[in-house]
Amino acid sequence: MSILDRFTLTDHVAVVTGAGRGIGAATAVALAEAGADVVISSRTESQLAEVAARIAQAGRRAVVVPANLAHTDEVAGLAQRAYDELGRLDVVVNNVGGTIPNAFLDTDVAYLEEAFHFNVATAHALSRAAVPLMLGSVGEGRQKSITTISSMMGRTAGRGYLAYGTAKAALAHWSRLAATDLAPRIRVNGIFVGSVMTSALEYVAGNPGIKQQMEQATPLGRIGEAEDIAAGVVYLASEAGKFLTGKMLEIDGGLQEPNLDLGLPELHP
């Protein structure tokens, strides 16, 4: 086996949440190009159809499941859908999530709980449903892995990101704890994502001043691409990453402290 063969996922079956656009779409296509069939899910069916067409171009099968992934029963059901339609389950990518930046005094308990639910509870629901099916999917050489998509705001501080950063930090530690629980049969890792140009970032990056702040704060001098993250997922899911579990990759262009001015109101006595 050559070193490049380690990055393949031939005949694996993967589930990718939030796969209609951005990092999720790029990840689903990358997994297909590496040899996997993919169950893709998000809210918008038309977006999923476009991603499914790209997966077909790579010569792999796509199962399209439009769903509201904020509902834990719907996201958990993706695991059985993969097993029923594709005959096995090897790879789970917990990508769905996100929370809009908010001032501290505007972040009530319900807002914080919603952020935790959307970013952490959904990942747990899918993974918990997937594990028995992954353990029951025999096959020599097939890696069993779960990858979570966290954020650099889960490892650093930034004004306005209390709910989002807290949830993403919890997701990262969930990954470490789950890795311990599921070793050695299933590997669990994650990615701390930096500033990546997706629709989710448009809320802040649509402001030219903030976009420039992001670029200047990033040592590599640019905002990342969704494919930068997708490549990391393929590494973690494939045999190339078979000696990694409980780890968080930092794919962020070297960004350490964002210090972005989002124009949020300041506290005054």
Side-chain angles (χ1 to χ4, degrees):
M1 175 182 289
S2 74
I3 192 65
L4 292 181
D5 291 332
R6 290 177 177 265
F7 290 86
T8 61
L9 289 162
T10 304
D11 295 331
H12 286 58
V13 171
V15 171
V16 181
T17 60
R21 56 186 179 179
I23 291 171
T27 295
V29 172
L31 292 171
E33 290 174 345
D37 296 324
V38 192
V39 173
I40 54 176
S41 185
S42 71
R43 190 189 298 267
T44 306
E45 187 170 4
S46 59
Q47 293 177 340
L48 292 172
E50 294 177 5
V51 177
R54 295 172 62 191
I55 290 172
Q57 289 175 354
R60 304 307 306 187
R61 293 179 62 190
V63 176
V64 173
V65 186
N68 183 349
L69 298 180
H71 297 164
T72 52
D73 57 342
E74 293 194 39
V75 72
L78 298 176
Q80 191 66 51
R81 188 72 179 268
Y83 198 85
D84 290 345
E85 296 204 24
L86 299 174
R88 57 182 307 107
L89 180 56
D90 306 294
V91 176
V92 169
V93 182
N94 290 304
N95 170 67
V96 70
T99 305
I100 295 175
N102 213 5
F104 182 91
L105 292 179
D106 293 329
T107 304
D108 59 18
V109 172
Y111 195 88
L112 186 63
E113 290 176 341
E114 181 180 355
F116 188 89
H117 175 88
F118 193 39
N119 290 276
V120 185
T122 54
H124 180 67
L126 173 55
S127 301
R128 183 171 179 268
V131 164
L133 302 176
M134 296 171 82
L135 294 176
S137 299
V138 297
E140 185 177 353
R142 288 188 175 94
Q143 293 292 307
K144 308 293 183 183
S145 72
I146 297 171
T147 302
T148 61
I149 304 300
S150 184
S151 166
M152 63 162 296
M153 296 312 305
R155 64 170 179 80
T156 187
R159 191 164 177 270
Y161 289 97
L162 187 143
Y164 179 72
T166 299
K168 288 302 189 183
L171 180 61
H173 201 49
W174 179 94
S175 304
R176 300 183 186 101
L177 294 169
T180 302
D181 286 342
L182 300 178
R185 299 286 301 280
I186 299 174
R187 297 182 297 104
V188 185
N189 296 288
I191 297 176
F192 282 131
V193 175
S195 299
V196 174
M197 187 50 70
T198 66
S199 57
L201 193 67
E202 288 175 357
Y203 177 81
V204 292
N207 182 315
I210 295 178
K211 182 174 183 291
Q212 185 178 32
Q213 289 180 54
M214 289 179 171
E215 292 169 341
Q216 291 176 344
T218 303
L220 290 185
R222 67 173 177 89
I223 291 177
E225 302 171 352
E227 287 74 16
D228 295 326
I229 310 305
V233 174
V234 171
Y235 168 58
L236 291 173
S238 69
E239 191 170 349
K242 68 178 181 179
F243 202 50
L244 279 82
T245 197
K247 303 302 179 186
M248 298 294 298
L249 295 186
E250 298 178 11
I251 305 180
D252 54 18
L255 183 61
Q256 296 300 318
E257 295 288 343
N259 295 322
L260 302 177
D261 181 5
L262 303 179
L264 296 172
E266 296 189 15
L267 289 175
H268 294 285

